[in-house]
Amino acid sequence: MNYSKITIGNEPRVELHDSLKLTGAEVSVNALPAGASVPFVHSHKNNEEIYAVIEGKGHAVIDGETVSLSAGDWLRIAPKAKRQFFAAADDGIKYICIQVKENSLEGYTMTDAVV
């Protein structure tokens, strides 16, 4: 089979690497209730992260700078940047995180398509 499909519910965090048999990325779906935060600051050795906010609002602290986030926002963070995510005090936040090796993209969209 040349594809994988799963359905997720309303879990606070779902990592899709194993269930979708991903080979070039890690994807997670994350939900923080109002007033909550990721309980740690982190960075990466090699992987950049791309965040898509799909519901709610909050903010990220990236290398000491506060970046406001709301539904529809996309954010790319370099591997070495230290980051932590927070839901707003009055609203939760739900976001997708895509983690890929920095500088690994060799083709995209039409440059990688075979017709």
Side-chain angles (χ1 to χ4, degrees):
M1 186 177 337
N2 289 326
Y3 67 91
S4 301
K5 177 187 173 191
I6 64 164
T7 301
I8 63 172
N10 287 324
E11 300 91 340
R13 179 171 168 83
V14 178
E15 293 178 354
L16 303 177
H17 178 264
D18 291 335
S19 57
L20 286 176
K21 299 176 182 67
L22 301 176
T23 64
E26 170 63 289
V27 178
S28 63
V29 181
N30 306 270
L32 296 171
S37 68
V38 172
F40 53 87
V41 175
H42 76 285
S43 62
H44 288 277
K45 297 174 188 172
N46 299 305
N47 295 340
E48 65 187 4
E49 290 181 320
I50 302 99
Y51 292 88
V53 180
I54 53 178
E55 292 177 17
K57 61 184 179 180
H59 69 277
V61 177
I62 306 165
D63 289 338
E65 182 180 341
T66 299
V67 178
S68 295
L69 298 169
S70 60
D73 287 346
W74 285 81
L75 175 68
R76 182 251 179 204
I77 304 178
K80 67 181 179 178
K82 297 201 180 307
R83 80 252 4 216
Q84 186 176 17
F85 285 79
F86 300 82
D90 62 344
D91 196 3
I93 189 169
K94 186 172 188 177
Y95 57 91
I96 297 169
C97 177
I98 305 164
Q99 191 179 129
V100 296
K101 185 175 181 182
E102 187 177 44
N103 298 314
S104 65
L105 186 63
E106 294 179 4
Y108 56 94
T109 314
M110 291 308 293
T111 62
D112 189 52
V114 178
V115 182

